[in-house]
Amino acid sequence: MMPSDAPPPLPEDLFAAARQARTNAYAPYSRFKVGAAVRTADGRLFAGANMENAAYPQGQCAEANALGAMVSAVGGQRIIEVAVVGGREDDPQDLCTPCGGCRQRLREFGTETLLIHICGPDGRRHTTTLGVLLPLSFGPDNLDIV
Ligand code: THU
């Protein structure tokens, strides 16, 4: 039997989509490539990579682009799982956790149970939830949008 504190499985399709997107990251300034993939409640996958800009604040995170791909293709959907692939190549412990802005972006489409798999290019480094990363969050339900 699995111990009760074993992390939930990291689905290969979600990880592969995020890792593939990362190969297309446009990060000439930071050289920090990130890929992200989200899974909708009805089972569809959407991925994105980070996209930097010479005017630095205009850069966009991988998670934001994955959500943009979802909305562009199928509209706003409930998401249940996210994989983020990033972190220093030479440090298998390094975590690329979603930035503060992306935690809020994920909150728009997910609840506190949203699973977040934080991965390096070789696989999972940590799994957590949006409720842990963004406690006491403000979301669509605060504005009576269900
Ligand atoms: N970045 C992401 O794409 N996602 C994260 O979760 C954290 C940071 C990007 C933004 C920028 O292009 C680079 O990583 C360095 O901050």
Side-chain angles (χ1 to χ4, degrees), residues 24-107:
N24 294 322
Y26 178 74
Y29 304 105
S30 72
R31 301 190 188 285
F32 192 87
K33 296 185 168 193
V34 185
V38 300
R39 188 192 307 280
T40 64
D42 64 1
R44 289 180 279 197
L45 293 186
F46 298 95
N50 56 331
M51 179 183 77
E52 298 184 345
N53 192 280
Y56 289 0
Q58 302 306 323
Q60 186 136 286
C61 287
E63 297 92 324
N65 284 330
L67 292 171
M70 174 187 80
V71 170
S72 301
V74 294
Q77 301 286 319
R78 183 163 143 69
I79 59 170
I80 57 170
E81 198 165 22
V82 183
V84 180
V85 177
R88 293 188 189 88
E89 304 284 346
D90 59 353
D91 180 358
Q93 306 302 320
D94 193 37
L95 298 182
C96 175
T97 56
C99 77
C102 284
R103 294 176 195 201
Q104 185 65 38
R105 289 187 181 97
L106 292 167
R107 177 67 183 87

Side-chain angles (χ1 to χ4, degrees), residues 120-138:
D122 298 330
R124 186 209 326 249
R125 294 177 179 175
H126 187 69
T127 291
T128 187
T129 64
L130 188 60
V132 169
L133 294 186
L134 193 68
L136 298 175
S137 66
F138 186 87

